[in-house]
Amino acid sequence: MDILALAPDLGGLLYTIASFVVALIIIVAVHEYGHYIVGRWGGIKAEVFSLGFGPVLFSRVDKRGTRWQIAALPLGGYVKFLGDSDAASGKDAAAIGQLSENDRRHTMHGAPLWARAATVAAGPIFNFILTIVIFTGVILWEGQTKEPLTIGHIQDLPATITLQSGDQIVSVGGITMPEDGLNTIRAQIPVQADLEYEVLRDGQTVTAVGPHPYLPLVEQVSPRSAAYEAGIRPGDVITAADGVPMYAFSQLIDVVKSAEGNPISLSVWRDGQDLTIDLSAKRVDEPSAEGGFQTVWRIGVVGGLFFDAAKEPVGVLQAIGAGAAQLWFLIEGSVSGLWHMITGAISTCNMSGPVGIAEVSGAMASQGAQNFIWFIGSLSAAVGLLNLFPVPVLDGGHLVFFAYEAVAGKPPSDKVLRALMAGGLALILSLMVFALGNDLFCP
């Protein structure tokens, strides 16, 4: 075996693992800090704050007596409060029995119901806050498209282009530019190699030439997709499919749809070189405009304009609103997707396990820091939502117990709690095994 020949694959594997670990550490740290800080505000003493499990690599004790540590297995974390028997906040009855009444108030199990509920809920809430902060930051960094639509940087393309940076688009292919954006006339724009653009340049209206605004330029490649596995990269221009010239991204969609999973031969222009890449589209389940999901054929590329639209600053409140709206979109889509998997409307292969998430993490990191940061925000939302599910051992399960206590006036018995926690743990482990199976065996 040629060990050196394995070096590129090994490097890619290490990059994927490192990206996944970085994303996970950030998300777990924020989640557990939510538990810690709200618990502290509620008078609950934290004995251990751990990032990771297993052997401790580094630790220190702060002035409040909390041990902050980093452990060898970076696959999660926990906060162990006074009176807890384990990382899942199981009750250590023997230890609590030896505490004074005043000290019992500082345990998770002896604190007022409001303090316990707030402490548990804080983990997922902090994940959602992290998501909004990340999305808001990216939106503020990117800005919003300047109106009227103005050309910024023009991509390097195999096309005739006399357009210039700073041109304000008045019309495309004889179609007047509407106030509500170029996308609204997308279907009306002629599909051909060269189009006439009427633009406002230095105060004068001039005619310039350029390709279809939505030509088959790859802006992003979806991780684990046919395009990603075939080696297509952001910046590639698909010039032909099965020998048919491609002038607009809509043509590529039609070719992929009609092929129905059969092999497609793509002619690709990349940095001045012409390549041939063969691939077969995959069936994927996507949200439909009418609600629910639809199964379609996709190769996994996202297109965009052949130029970067000029940007202008966006207001902070507007960015926060957009970030919160994106969080809600993710939550709504996740819940809908899970429900459709449970009812059998879509394939359970849509559920990814740790291997799939790690692959997506590495793929997003390889496509730039901004994509990776956005992925961290999306994954943080997923972690927050997952922890709210009413399953014992998860935060949502604890909140259900607290709701029962609020109604019944007393918590469930220790025996019932132990049985429910054991059942919840078995369910979570089964779900993890199932998701891992999807990673390994789903197409």
Side-chain angles (χ1 to χ4, degrees):
M1 178 182 293
D2 184 357
I3 300 298
L4 292 179
L6 298 176
D9 291 336
L10 179 60
L13 176 62
L14 293 176
Y15 185 80
T16 294
I17 293 174
S19 302
F20 177 56
V21 169
V22 168
L24 194 61
I25 286 176
I26 293 172
I27 292 167
V28 168
V30 170
H31 180 96
E32 298 303 333
Y33 187 77
H35 289 317
Y36 163 78
I37 193 63
V38 174
R40 198 181 88 186
W41 292 339
I44 303 174
K45 175 178 170 54
E47 293 187 319
V48 180
F49 184 109
S50 180
L51 289 180
F53 300 98
V56 176
L57 303 178
F58 167 82
S59 70
R60 73 173 184 87
V61 178
D62 66 15
K63 62 183 181 181
R64 294 183 177 85
T66 301
R67 180 177 296 279
W68 298 75
Q69 65 184 39
I70 297 175
L73 300 176
L75 299 178
Y78 62 91
V79 177
K80 183 178 179 296
F81 292 102
L82 180 65
D84 289 352
S85 61
D86 51 44
S89 290
K91 185 177 181 180
D92 188 344
I96 292 176
Q98 298 176 2
L99 297 175
S100 66
E101 184 175 346
N102 181 63
D103 287 340
R104 287 196 194 102
R105 163 60 182 84
H106 300 295
T107 68
M108 173 62 84
H109 308 278
L113 183 59
W114 67 266
R116 286 178 279 147
T119 299
V120 169
I125 290 173
F126 269 53
N127 278 133
F128 295 149
I129 291 173
L130 173 63
T131 298
I132 294 175
V133 168
I134 287 177
F135 289 170
T136 299
V138 172
I139 293 168
L140 286 172
W141 175 264
E142 281 190 331
Q144 60 186 354
T145 300
K146 186 177 181 181
E147 295 182 359
L149 182 62
T150 303
I151 295 176
H153 172 71
I154 299 176
Q155 306 285 351
D156 185 19
L157 301 169
T160 301
I161 302 176
T162 60
L163 292 162
Q164 298 179 9
S165 177
D167 287 348
Q168 292 182 8
I169 298 178
V170 178
S171 70
V172 182
I175 301 172
T176 302
M177 180 73 181
E179 292 184 0
D180 50 357
L182 186 61
N183 194 50
T184 57
I185 60 170
R186 185 171 185 167
Q188 305 171 41
I189 300 174
V191 176
Q192 57 192 55
D194 298 318
L195 291 172
E196 285 192 353
Y197 286 74
E198 190 178 5
V199 299
L200 188 63
R201 179 185 299 169
D202 298 328
Q204 296 186 358
T205 301
V206 300
T207 300
V209 177
H212 192 286
Y214 295 98
L215 83 170
L217 170 67
V218 178
E219 188 173 85
Q220 186 175 327
V221 182
S222 300
R224 310 187 77 195
S225 65
Y228 185 82
E229 293 169 359
I232 291 180
R233 305 174 187 170
D236 287 351
V237 179
I238 299 172
T239 57
D242 288 336
V244 179
M246 296 285 107
Y247 303 126
F249 197 85
S250 58
Q251 290 179 283
L252 179 62
I253 294 174
D254 292 339
V255 169
V256 171
K257 181 179 179 180
S258 61
E260 296 185 336
N262 291 313
I264 304 171
S265 181
L266 300 179
S267 299
V268 177
W269 182 91
R270 177 185 297 166
D271 298 329
Q273 295 184 339
D274 294 316
L275 309 172
T276 299
I277 296 178
D278 298 326
L279 51 72
S280 298
K282 296 183 178 182
R283 294 176 69 95
V284 298
D285 297 308
E286 295 180 345
S288 64
E290 297 77 21
F293 285 76
Q294 59 182 349
T295 302
V296 294
W297 293 99
R298 292 285 185 261
I299 62 172
V301 296
V302 178
L305 296 168
F306 70 85
F307 58 88
D308 296 327
K311 302 288 187 178
E312 59 185 5
V314 59
V316 174
L317 293 180
Q318 183 181 352
I320 293 174
Q326 181 64 27
L327 168 62
W328 178 250
F329 172 78
L330 290 175
I331 292 174
E332 191 176 41
S334 298
V335 172
S336 176
L338 180 61
W339 173 250
H340 282 79
M341 280 188 279
I342 292 173
T343 58
I346 61 175
S347 171
T348 55
C349 284
N350 287 282
M351 179 183 294
S352 295
V355 175
I357 296 172
E359 288 180 354
V360 173
S361 177
M364 297 305 288
S366 68
Q367 295 185 41
Q370 184 169 302
N371 286 333
F372 183 55
I373 291 171
W374 190 272
F375 167 75
I376 291 175
S378 301
L379 185 58
S380 181
V383 169
L385 178 62
L386 175 64
N387 272 277
L388 284 179
F389 287 167
V391 178
V393 311
L394 296 180
D395 296 329
H398 288 288
L399 292 174
V400 170
F401 297 151
F402 297 152
Y404 171 86
E405 182 179 346
V407 173
K410 62 179 181 178
S413 68
D414 291 346
K415 183 178 180 180
V416 170
L417 281 176
R418 284 195 296 269
L420 289 174
M421 295 290 276
L425 181 60
L427 177 61
I428 293 298
L429 291 176
S430 299
L431 188 63
M432 290 178 63
V433 171
F434 179 79
L436 181 60
N438 282 354
D439 292 340
L440 299 177
F441 302 113
C442 281

